[in-house]
PDB file of all heavy atoms in Angstrom:
ATOM      1  N   ASN A1648      -8.041-176.034  -0.235  1.00  0.00           N
ATOM      2  CA  ASN A1648      -6.644-175.770  -0.559  1.00  0.00           C
ATOM      3  C   ASN A1648      -5.755-175.954   0.670  1.00  0.00           C
ATOM      4  O   ASN A1648      -4.701-176.603   0.604  1.00  0.00           O
ATOM      5  CB  ASN A1648      -6.517-174.342  -1.103  1.00  0.00           C
ATOM      6  CG  ASN A1648      -5.278-174.154  -1.950  1.00  0.00           C
ATOM      7  OD1 ASN A1648      -4.344-174.931  -1.860  1.00  0.00           O
ATOM      8  ND2 ASN A1648      -5.257-173.115  -2.761  1.00  0.00           N
ATOM      9  N   TYR A1649      -6.173-175.390   1.798  1.00  0.00           N
ATOM     10  CA  TYR A1649      -5.371-175.499   3.015  1.00  0.00           C
ATOM     11  C   TYR A1649      -5.314-176.928   3.532  1.00  0.00           C
ATOM     12  O   TYR A1649      -4.347-177.324   4.198  1.00  0.00           O
ATOM     13  CB  TYR A1649      -5.932-174.581   4.106  1.00  0.00           C
ATOM     14  CG  TYR A1649      -5.846-173.111   3.771  1.00  0.00           C
ATOM     15  CD1 TYR A1649      -6.825-172.225   4.208  1.00  0.00           C
ATOM     16  CD2 TYR A1649      -4.806-172.609   3.017  1.00  0.00           C
ATOM     17  CE1 TYR A1649      -6.770-170.876   3.894  1.00  0.00           C
ATOM     18  CE2 TYR A1649      -4.735-171.259   2.697  1.00  0.00           C
ATOM     19  CZ  TYR A1649      -5.722-170.400   3.140  1.00  0.00           C
ATOM     20  OH  TYR A1649      -5.660-169.071   2.819  1.00  0.00           O
ATOM     21  N   THR A1650      -6.334-177.717   3.224  1.00  0.00           N
ATOM     22  CA  THR A1650      -6.351-179.114   3.644  1.00  0.00           C
ATOM     23  C   THR A1650      -5.385-179.945   2.809  1.00  0.00           C
ATOM     24  O   THR A1650      -4.713-180.855   3.322  1.00  0.00           O
ATOM     25  CB  THR A1650      -7.772-179.698   3.507  1.00  0.00           C
ATOM     26  OG1 THR A1650      -8.676-178.936   4.309  1.00  0.00           O
ATOM     27  CG2 THR A1650      -7.818-181.141   3.958  1.00  0.00           C
ATOM     28  N   GLU A1651      -5.299-179.627   1.517  1.00  0.00           N
ATOM     29  CA  GLU A1651      -4.544-180.455   0.585  1.00  0.00           C
ATOM     30  C   GLU A1651      -3.165-179.902   0.232  1.00  0.00           C
ATOM     31  O   GLU A1651      -2.279-180.658  -0.159  1.00  0.00           O
ATOM     32  CB  GLU A1651      -5.346-180.621  -0.718  1.00  0.00           C
ATOM     33  CG  GLU A1651      -6.700-181.280  -0.540  1.00  0.00           C
ATOM     34  CD  GLU A1651      -6.591-182.753  -0.206  1.00  0.00           C
ATOM     35  OE1 GLU A1651      -5.476-183.305  -0.305  1.00  0.00           O
ATOM     36  OE2 GLU A1651      -7.624-183.362   0.147  1.00  0.00           O
ATOM     37  N   MET A1652      -2.994-178.578   0.353  1.00  0.00           N
ATOM     38  CA  MET A1652      -1.760-177.950  -0.125  1.00  0.00           C
ATOM     39  C   MET A1652      -0.899-177.480   1.056  1.00  0.00           C
ATOM     40  O   MET A1652      -1.273-177.615   2.219  1.00  0.00           O
ATOM     41  CB  MET A1652      -2.103-176.773  -1.038  1.00  0.00           C
ATOM     42  CG  MET A1652      -3.136-177.086  -2.110  1.00  0.00           C
ATOM     43  SD  MET A1652      -2.557-178.165  -3.431  1.00  0.00           S
ATOM     44  CE  MET A1652      -1.845-176.965  -4.537  1.00  0.00           C
ATOM     45  N   ASP A1653       0.229-176.884   0.739  1.00  0.00           N
ATOM     46  CA  ASP A1653       1.177-176.406   1.746  1.00  0.00           C
ATOM     47  C   ASP A1653       0.782-175.008   2.226  1.00  0.00           C
ATOM     48  O   ASP A1653       0.868-174.036   1.476  1.00  0.00           O
ATOM     49  CB  ASP A1653       2.579-176.385   1.137  1.00  0.00           C
ATOM     50  CG  ASP A1653       3.650-176.003   2.147  1.00  0.00           C
ATOM     51  OD1 ASP A1653       3.313-175.825   3.330  1.00  0.00           O
ATOM     52  OD2 ASP A1653       4.826-175.878   1.737  1.00  0.00           O
ATOM     53  N   MET A1654       0.346-174.897   3.490  1.00  0.00           N
ATOM     54  CA  MET A1654      -0.070-173.609   4.041  1.00  0.00           C
ATOM     55  C   MET A1654       1.102-172.634   4.140  1.00  0.00           C
ATOM     56  O   MET A1654       0.899-171.422   4.212  1.00  0.00           O
ATOM     57  CB  MET A1654      -0.721-173.798   5.419  1.00  0.00           C
ATOM     58  CG  MET A1654      -2.070-174.482   5.373  1.00  0.00           C
ATOM     59  SD  MET A1654      -2.934-174.497   6.969  1.00  0.00           S
ATOM     60  CE  MET A1654      -1.908-175.612   7.912  1.00  0.00           C
ATOM     61  N   ASN A1655       2.309-173.162   4.140  1.00  0.00           N
ATOM     62  CA  ASN A1655       3.488-172.303   4.238  1.00  0.00           C
ATOM     63  C   ASN A1655       3.574-171.318   3.074  1.00  0.00           C
ATOM     64  O   ASN A1655       4.116-170.213   3.219  1.00  0.00           O
ATOM     65  CB  ASN A1655       4.748-173.174   4.281  1.00  0.00           C
ATOM     66  CG  ASN A1655       5.982-172.395   4.666  1.00  0.00           C
ATOM     67  OD1 ASN A1655       6.058-171.807   5.741  1.00  0.00           O
ATOM     68  ND2 ASN A1655       6.950-172.367   3.764  1.00  0.00           N
ATOM     69  N   VAL A1656       3.013-171.706   1.919  1.00  0.00           N
ATOM     70  CA  VAL A1656       3.026-170.814   0.757  1.00  0.00           C
ATOM     71  C   VAL A1656       2.251-169.537   1.075  1.00  0.00           C
ATOM     72  O   VAL A1656       2.710-168.423   0.781  1.00  0.00           O
ATOM     73  CB  VAL A1656       2.409-171.514  -0.476  1.00  0.00           C
ATOM     74  CG1 VAL A1656       2.310-170.542  -1.649  1.00  0.00           C
ATOM     75  CG2 VAL A1656       3.244-172.722  -0.872  1.00  0.00           C
ATOM     76  N   SER A1657       1.071-169.685   1.675  1.00  0.00           N
ATOM     77  CA  SER A1657       0.259-168.517   2.023  1.00  0.00           C
ATOM     78  C   SER A1657       0.938-167.661   3.080  1.00  0.00           C
ATOM     79  O   SER A1657       0.892-166.430   3.017  1.00  0.00           O
ATOM     80  CB  SER A1657      -1.122-168.961   2.523  1.00  0.00           C
ATOM     81  OG  SER A1657      -1.906-169.452   1.465  1.00  0.00           O
ATOM     82  N   VAL A1658       1.568-168.301   4.058  1.00  0.00           N
ATOM     83  CA  VAL A1658       2.268-167.541   5.100  1.00  0.00           C
ATOM     84  C   VAL A1658       3.372-166.695   4.474  1.00  0.00           C
ATOM     85  O   VAL A1658       3.526-165.511   4.796  1.00  0.00           O
ATOM     86  CB  VAL A1658       2.855-168.486   6.165  1.00  0.00           C
ATOM     87  CG1 VAL A1658       3.684-167.685   7.183  1.00  0.00           C
ATOM     88  CG2 VAL A1658       1.744-169.244   6.889  1.00  0.00           C
ATOM     89  N   ASN A1659       4.136-167.280   3.585  1.00  0.00           N
ATOM     90  CA  ASN A1659       5.221-166.543   2.925  1.00  0.00           C
ATOM     91  C   ASN A1659       4.680-165.375   2.103  1.00  0.00           C
ATOM     92  O   ASN A1659       5.271-164.291   2.077  1.00  0.00           O
ATOM     93  CB  ASN A1659       6.031-167.481   2.033  1.00  0.00           C
ATOM     94  CG  ASN A1659       6.880-168.454   2.834  1.00  0.00           C
ATOM     95  OD1 ASN A1659       7.212-168.200   3.991  1.00  0.00           O
ATOM     96  ND2 ASN A1659       7.220-169.580   2.220  1.00  0.00           N
ATOM     97  N   GLU A1660       3.556-165.596   1.428  1.00  0.00           N
ATOM     98  CA  GLU A1660       2.957-164.519   0.633  1.00  0.00           C
ATOM     99  C   GLU A1660       2.465-163.393   1.533  1.00  0.00           C
ATOM    100  O   GLU A1660       2.610-162.204   1.205  1.00  0.00           O
ATOM    101  CB  GLU A1660       1.816-165.071  -0.216  1.00  0.00           C
ATOM    102  CG  GLU A1660       2.297-165.944  -1.360  1.00  0.00           C
ATOM    103  CD  GLU A1660       1.177-166.578  -2.165  1.00  0.00           C
ATOM    104  OE1 GLU A1660       0.005-166.469  -1.744  1.00  0.00           O
ATOM    105  OE2 GLU A1660       1.461-167.171  -3.219  1.00  0.00           O
ATOM    106  N   HIS A1661       1.900-163.740   2.686  1.00  0.00           N
ATOM    107  CA  HIS A1661       1.464-162.705   3.633  1.00  0.00           C
ATOM    108  C   HIS A1661       2.671-161.927   4.161  1.00  0.00           C
ATOM    109  O   HIS A1661       2.598-160.706   4.347  1.00  0.00           O
ATOM    110  CB  HIS A1661       0.708-163.335   4.803  1.00  0.00           C
ATOM    111  CG  HIS A1661      -0.654-163.838   4.444  1.00  0.00           C
ATOM    112  ND1 HIS A1661      -1.250-164.919   5.054  1.00  0.00           N
ATOM    113  CD2 HIS A1661      -1.553-163.399   3.529  1.00  0.00           C
ATOM    114  CE1 HIS A1661      -2.449-165.123   4.536  1.00  0.00           C
ATOM    115  NE2 HIS A1661      -2.658-164.206   3.609  1.00  0.00           N
ATOM    116  N   ARG A1662       3.754-162.641   4.409  1.00  0.00           N
ATOM    117  CA  ARG A1662       4.970-161.979   4.896  1.00  0.00           C
ATOM    118  C   ARG A1662       5.495-160.992   3.844  1.00  0.00           C
ATOM    119  O   ARG A1662       5.879-159.861   4.165  1.00  0.00           O
ATOM    120  CB  ARG A1662       6.027-163.037   5.209  1.00  0.00           C
ATOM    121  CG  ARG A1662       7.393-162.492   5.617  1.00  0.00           C
ATOM    122  CD  ARG A1662       7.354-161.760   6.932  1.00  0.00           C
ATOM    123  NE  ARG A1662       7.022-162.651   8.037  1.00  0.00           N
ATOM    124  CZ  ARG A1662       6.850-162.228   9.282  1.00  0.00           C
ATOM    125  NH1 ARG A1662       6.961-160.927   9.553  1.00  0.00           N
ATOM    126  NH2 ARG A1662       6.536-163.075  10.243  1.00  0.00           N
ATOM    127  N   GLU A1663       5.486-161.382   2.578  1.00  0.00           N
ATOM    128  CA  GLU A1663       5.931-160.496   1.503  1.00  0.00           C
ATOM    129  C   GLU A1663       5.028-159.277   1.387  1.00  0.00           C
ATOM    130  O   GLU A1663       5.511-158.152   1.166  1.00  0.00           O
ATOM    131  CB  GLU A1663       5.940-161.264   0.174  1.00  0.00           C
ATOM    132  CG  GLU A1663       7.014-162.331   0.080  1.00  0.00           C
ATOM    133  CD  GLU A1663       6.909-163.138  -1.212  1.00  0.00           C
ATOM    134  OE1 GLU A1663       5.862-163.025  -1.891  1.00  0.00           O
ATOM    135  OE2 GLU A1663       7.861-163.866  -1.540  1.00  0.00           O
ATOM    136  N   LEU A1664       3.718-159.483   1.541  1.00  0.00           N
ATOM    137  CA  LEU A1664       2.778-158.362   1.496  1.00  0.00           C
ATOM    138  C   LEU A1664       3.071-157.361   2.606  1.00  0.00           C
ATOM    139  O   LEU A1664       3.091-156.143   2.376  1.00  0.00           O
ATOM    140  CB  LEU A1664       1.335-158.873   1.626  1.00  0.00           C
ATOM    141  CG  LEU A1664       0.727-159.542   0.401  1.00  0.00           C
ATOM    142  CD1 LEU A1664      -0.576-160.262   0.775  1.00  0.00           C
ATOM    143  CD2 LEU A1664       0.438-158.512  -0.689  1.00  0.00           C
ATOM    144  N   LEU A1665       3.298-157.874   3.815  1.00  0.00           N
ATOM    145  CA  LEU A1665       3.565-156.986   4.935  1.00  0.00           C
ATOM    146  C   LEU A1665       4.855-156.201   4.721  1.00  0.00           C
ATOM    147  O   LEU A1665       4.912-154.995   4.998  1.00  0.00           O
ATOM    148  CB  LEU A1665       3.643-157.787   6.236  1.00  0.00           C
ATOM    149  CG  LEU A1665       3.982-156.983   7.501  1.00  0.00           C
ATOM    150  CD1 LEU A1665       3.012-155.824   7.701  1.00  0.00           C
ATOM    151  CD2 LEU A1665       4.002-157.883   8.728  1.00  0.00           C
TER     152      LEU A1665
END
Side-chain angles (χ1 to χ4, degrees):
N1648 203 341
Y1649 295 147
T1650 301
E1651 300 289 350
M1652 312 289 273
D1653 184 4
M1654 290 188 291
N1655 192 60
V1656 175
S1657 288
V1658 175
N1659 289 337
E1660 289 176 352
H1661 288 149
R1662 175 66 65 184
E1663 291 175 347
L1664 285 168
L1665 177 55

